[in-house]
């Protein structure tokens, strides 16, 4: 991706090395669990509730020196530039609809963090909390994408950020709350089907961002879109379930199959309109 010289978002809070830490598992173990949780479609809010007791507050008054690596600083810069790009794109898209876009905050953390949705460890993976309209991410997640899933690359990482921002867009448009209200009244199987539609729409919105960002800044280089599509393929429910247990359980899918995720990310990039991402009107979002 061509990101040199681009502005960085001012809506980023850096909490790396601050606030909380885990009592067990090293960071590598946490992030691997995070990959499984996030990619397998685990509900971050459930993990927040279950894992809150495992998060230990740092002793009051204690200070912990945190020195990020050069690689991590490059990832932090990418996050800030991509977030700024989503701000530019969604401000324009919302204005075309007669709406005003309110950008989310983004918090970078290590090990664990306190969010408006509760305490969260890195095992949650990247997540969006509508209670405080904030995206949370441990940058080590990107390293594990590359090493564990062979889904590395700057556009693959940008896709993750844009996907989470897509959930913020859903929140602003009212889609997220409506879907969650429906899911609360449904069986687990039916709620999973609604979840798939939410996630595929967030994939579409990630593609929509790439469409407009590329048109405005000439962001994408040869192979970038393929990186994103490769990542979308790697995180399909069917692929991950097959690799984890040797068989698939379609009723348990709640993020979408590899084919669906690739298709909706690519559709967002090709179409680039808000209307083109209505996954809820389709009988089958494939």
């Amino acid at each position: 991706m061509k990101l040199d010289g681009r502005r960085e978002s001012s809506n980023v809070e850096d909490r790396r090395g601050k606030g909380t830490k885990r009592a067990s598992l090293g960071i590598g173990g946490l992030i691997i669990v995070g990959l499984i949780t996030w990619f397998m479609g685990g509900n971050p809010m459930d993990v927040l509730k279950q894992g809150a007791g495992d998060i230990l507050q740092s002793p009051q008054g204690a200070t912990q020196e945190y020195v990020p690596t050069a690689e991590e600083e490059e990832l932090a810069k990418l996050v800030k530039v991509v977030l700024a790009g989503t701000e530019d794109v969604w401000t324009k898209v919302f204005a075309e609809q007669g709406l005003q876009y309110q950008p989310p905050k983004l918090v970078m953390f290590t090990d664990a963090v306190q969010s408006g949705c509760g305490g969260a460890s890195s095992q949650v993976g990247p997540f969006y909390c509508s209670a405080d309209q904030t995206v949370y991410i441990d940058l080590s997640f990107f390293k594990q994408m590359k090493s564990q899933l062979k889904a590395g690359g700057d556009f693959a990482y940008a896709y993750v950020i844009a996907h989470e921002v897509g959930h913020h867009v859903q929140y602003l448009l009212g889609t997220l709350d409506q879907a969650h209200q429906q899911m609360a009244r449904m069986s687990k199987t039916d709620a999973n089907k609604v979840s798939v539609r939410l996630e595929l729409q967030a994939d579409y919105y990630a593609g929509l961002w790439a469409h407009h960002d590329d048109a405005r800044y000439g962001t994408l280089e040869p192979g970038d879109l393929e990186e994103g599509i490769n990542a979308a393929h790697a995180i399909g429910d069917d692929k991950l379930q097959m690799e984890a247990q040797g068989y698939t359980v379609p009723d348990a899918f709640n993020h979408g199959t590899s084919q669906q995720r690739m298709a909706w990310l690519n559709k967002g990039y090709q179409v680039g309109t808000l209307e083109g991402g209505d996954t809820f009107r389709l009988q089958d979002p494939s």
Side-chain angles (χ1 to χ4, degrees), residues 3-272:
L3 300 175
D4 291 345
R6 296 272 299 273
R7 78 172 181 92
E8 298 179 4
S9 175
S10 60
N11 291 311
V12 177
E13 181 182 351
D14 192 346
R15 296 190 202 169
R16 290 177 292 172
K18 300 176 183 178
T20 56
K21 63 189 339 184
R22 291 279 298 186
S24 62
L25 288 181
I27 185 65
L30 288 173
I31 301 299
I32 291 172
V33 175
L35 284 166
I36 296 172
T37 302
W38 193 74
F39 289 145
M40 288 292 283
N43 185 339
M45 299 307 105
D46 290 342
V47 180
L48 296 189
K49 295 173 184 177
Q50 296 170 5
D54 295 332
I55 300 172
L56 304 180
Q57 297 293 329
S58 297
Q60 188 172 8
T63 59
Q64 179 181 3
E65 182 179 1
Y66 179 77
V67 180
T69 65
E71 179 185 6
E72 189 175 349
E73 284 300 270
E74 284 298 314
L75 290 172
K77 182 177 181 179
L78 180 146
V79 167
K80 295 174 184 177
V81 172
V82 169
L83 186 65
T86 66
E87 293 165 356
D88 295 341
V89 166
W90 285 111
T91 295
K92 178 178 180 291
V93 172
F94 268 53
E96 291 171 349
Q97 301 292 322
L99 303 171
Q100 184 175 1
Y101 181 66
Q102 297 293 331
K105 295 186 296 181
L106 185 146
V107 171
M108 298 185 295
F109 69 96
T110 52
D111 291 349
V113 69
Q114 189 66 33
S115 77
C117 297
S121 74
S122 296
Q123 72 185 58
V124 175
F127 68 96
Y128 171 71
C129 173
S130 60
D132 56 15
Q133 297 180 47
T134 301
V135 174
Y136 292 85
I137 187 166
D138 186 321
L139 298 180
S140 293
F141 187 80
F142 294 142
K143 300 176 187 177
Q144 295 299 324
M145 280 181 64
K146 180 179 180 179
S147 62
Q148 299 294 321
L149 293 180
K150 310 303 180 187
D154 48 9
F155 186 73
Y157 307 148
Y159 160 47
V160 170
I161 300 163
H163 173 97
E164 296 304 331
V165 172
H167 287 311
H168 177 66
V169 171
Q170 292 172 327
Y171 170 76
L172 294 178
L173 295 177
T175 309
L176 195 63
D177 285 344
Q178 291 175 12
H180 285 166
Q181 289 172 12
Q182 292 176 6
M183 292 165 69
R185 301 189 297 267
M186 294 176 168
S187 66
K188 180 65 173 178
T189 297
D190 288 338
N192 282 341
K193 293 177 181 178
V194 175
S195 177
V196 166
R197 294 175 185 271
L198 275 176
E199 298 301 333
L200 294 179
Q201 187 176 68
D203 284 340
Y204 176 89
Y205 287 162
L208 183 154
W209 158 75
H211 171 98
H212 289 278
D213 197 84
D214 189 32
R216 182 170 182 174
Y217 298 109
T219 311
L220 299 190
E221 298 177 299
D224 280 339
L225 185 60
E226 288 75 13
E227 284 181 359
I229 291 176
N230 175 59
H233 177 266
I235 60 181
D237 287 328
D238 52 342
K239 184 175 188 298
L240 289 168
Q241 285 190 5
M242 182 62 70
E243 291 180 352
Q245 59 197 22
Y247 59 92
T248 64
V249 183
D251 284 347
F253 293 172
N254 52 18
H255 269 56
T257 65
S258 292
Q259 186 60 40
Q260 288 175 319
R261 302 202 70 172
M262 290 189 297
W264 281 98
L265 173 62
N266 188 55
K267 182 180 179 182
Y269 178 73
Q270 299 298 333
V271 176

